[in-house]
């Protein structure tokens, strides 16, 4: 017992197939049973930071809630074999039932946690966990393929290596050689470890049944819970956070969404270790917000006033970058946001006016010298999250000869862009396969080009990621690039910039331009490609900005 908190370590739950899962229990020192919040994590329940990343048990006890932090199957104190997401529906349902049946729990259960521990919440919910009333998933994907292990058909090398390093405790090593290693599938660092899935992920470059069998986005109709979704504009899993909220809110009330200028790390409290410059007032007491939400959902049904003014009428709270303010919305994306094309123009211009008869632009992409990742929604081994993600200045990247840059004139009035982002490129390549990367930046009066969003499409997946379609060298194709989302105000005097290139390494794996199997080749097989981008009346390449009046 610690003060008014009773702590029980390594409490055992046995699954129906005989596997022992261990949990630490934190509960108020009271004879009356209380509601309970469960976190299921692969990151070691005995570490204080792991517990706090779910829900602070000391503050929870003050609010009259118990907290249970359980190691998932095959991790740390729990038995069995770890297979990412494979057992989280069945184990999650059983864990919720087990918690609800404990004498110190009143049968009302919620869940909390971030990243993988956010997905375990959704998977327990779509499994119909009895007694589960509310969840609070933070920076969480909606599936393991799109917006997670892959994006637009490209392998998310940085994030995948980052996670594999964490699971195998390799993050203290010098890791540059790992993401430069080719062929990707021949790096033996994770064989016979808890990160052996890395090779399975490489072996499934298309969105096939391997990925969909454990996807959250296949089961929203079964998730009879209220959900407080928390995401960051610079989180690589933002796509999933938005999809989880958007689809669940179409089915039932009680869904909430908070979006801030945050990355993937430090997502408890007010993100104290990941503040970004020029983001005044961005800190929130997210622990307090989560406690208020969960206490209200797990209470006795008496209506309560939610923190931050969220309600069924205004269930969305987002931080508007550039303006430095929080704002509530009735929907995501905001209904008043108008998708507005800004066109790539001759001589590096960017304008809402469509082009006429204009010449093409070209560049050479060499996989041996890829354009580097600088900022954005990244998790990259060997880089500190607090200094490598977010709206970093991309002028060094934009100065490269393999990057096309399109910039508007200085704005005469502020332009707000809030909602889903995408781009359409009419382009051709001399290669059998290649990538196209599109970035959106805010160019300040001092010339700094602050990255806001980034997207990629692998040419063989231009018509969808379920199966590849070969590219005919020289053929003009239409490529849609998903840049996910943002909320920002481009202030008067600033300029809007779109850049086009063919790599963002090591966030994404290098496309070797051969059309061969992903992960099976090295630079000896690589080919240099010439990329050509059209911006004419017939082929008007553009970025689609959700402009808010």
């Amino acid at each position: 017992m610690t003060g008014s908190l009773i702590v029980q370590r390594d409490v055992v739950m046995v699954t129906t197939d005989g596997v022992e899962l261990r949990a630490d229990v934190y509960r108020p020192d009271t004879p009356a049973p209380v509601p309970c919040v469960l976190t299921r994590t692969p990151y070691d329940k005995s570490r204080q930071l792991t517990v706090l990343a779910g829900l602070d048990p000391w503050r929870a006890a003050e609010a009259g809630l118990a907290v249970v932090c359980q190691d998932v199957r095959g991790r740390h104190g729990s038995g069995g074999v770890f297979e990412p997401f494979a057992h989280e529906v069945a184990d999650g349902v059983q864990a919720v039932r087990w918690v609800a049946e404990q004498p110190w729990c009143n049968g009302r259960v919620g869940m909390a946690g971030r990243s993988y521990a956010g997905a375990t919440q959704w998977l327990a919910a779509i499994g119909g966990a009895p007694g589960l009333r509310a969840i609070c998933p933070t920076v969480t994907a909606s599936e393991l393929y799109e917006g997670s292990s892959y994006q637009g058909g490209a392998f998310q090398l940085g994030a995948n290596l980052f996670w594999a390093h964490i699971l195998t405790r390799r993050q203290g090593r010098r890791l540059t050689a790992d993401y430069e290693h080719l062929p990707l599938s021949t790096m033996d660092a994770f064989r016979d470890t808890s990160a052996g899935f890395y090779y399975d992920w490489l072996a499934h470059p298309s969105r096939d049944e391997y990925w969909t069998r454990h996807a959250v986005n296949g089961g929203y109709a079964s998730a009879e819970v209220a959900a407080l979704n928390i995401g960051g504009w610079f989180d690589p899993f933002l796509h999933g956070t938005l999809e989880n909220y958007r689809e669940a809110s179409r089915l039932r009330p009680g869904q909430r969404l908070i979006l801030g200028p945050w990355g993937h790390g430090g997502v408890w409290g007010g993100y104290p270790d990941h503040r970004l410059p020029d983001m005044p007032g961005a800190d929130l007491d997210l622990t307090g917000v989560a406690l208020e939400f969960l206490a209200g959902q797990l209470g006795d049904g008496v209506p309560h006033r939610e923190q931050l003014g969220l309600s069924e009428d205004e269930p969305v709270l987002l931080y508007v970058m550039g303006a430095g303010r929080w704002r509530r919305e009735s929907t995501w994306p905001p209904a008043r946001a108008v998708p507005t094309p800004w066109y790539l123009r001759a001589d590096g211009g960017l304008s809402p006016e469509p082009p006429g008869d204009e010449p093409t632009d070209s560049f050479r992409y060499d996989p041996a010298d890829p354009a580097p990742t600088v900022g954005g929604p990244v998790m990259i081994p060997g880089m500190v999250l607090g200094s490598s993600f977010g709206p970093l200045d991309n002028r060094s990247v934009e100065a490269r000869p393999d990057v096309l840059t399109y910039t508007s004139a200085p704005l005469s009035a502020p332009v707000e862009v809030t909602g889903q982002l995408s781009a359409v490129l009419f382009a051709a390549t001399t290669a059998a396969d290649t990538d196209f990367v599109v970035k959106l930046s805010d160019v300040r009066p001092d010339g700094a080009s602050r990255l806001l969003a980034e997207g990629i499409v692998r040419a063989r997946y231009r018509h969808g990621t379920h199966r590849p379609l070969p590219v005919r060298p020289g053929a003009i194709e239409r490529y849609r690039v998903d840049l996910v989302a943002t909320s920002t105000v481009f202030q008067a005097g600033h300029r809007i910039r779109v850049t086009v290139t063919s790599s963002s390494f090591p966030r994404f794996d290098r496309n070797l331009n051969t059309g061969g199997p992903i992960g099976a080749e090295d630079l000896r097989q690589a080919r240099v490609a010439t990329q050509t981008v059209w911006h004419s009346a017939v082929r008007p390449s553009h970025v689609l900005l959700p402009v808010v009046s």
Side-chain angles (χ1 to χ4, degrees), residues 3 31 42 67 72 95 115 174 207 300 332 349 355 371 373 424 455 466 516:
V67 170
V72 300
S115 195
R174 182 175 177 83
R207 189 179 179 272
D300 55 10
W332 176 265
T373 302
V424 172
H466 291 84

Side-chain angles (χ1 to χ4, degrees), residues 200-221:
D200 294 332
W201 291 2
L202 281 170
H204 291 271
S206 300
R207 189 179 179 272
D208 55 21
E209 195 271 339
Y210 173 84
W211 303 103
T212 58
R213 58 184 174 166
H214 304 309
V216 169
N217 55 16
Y220 295 119

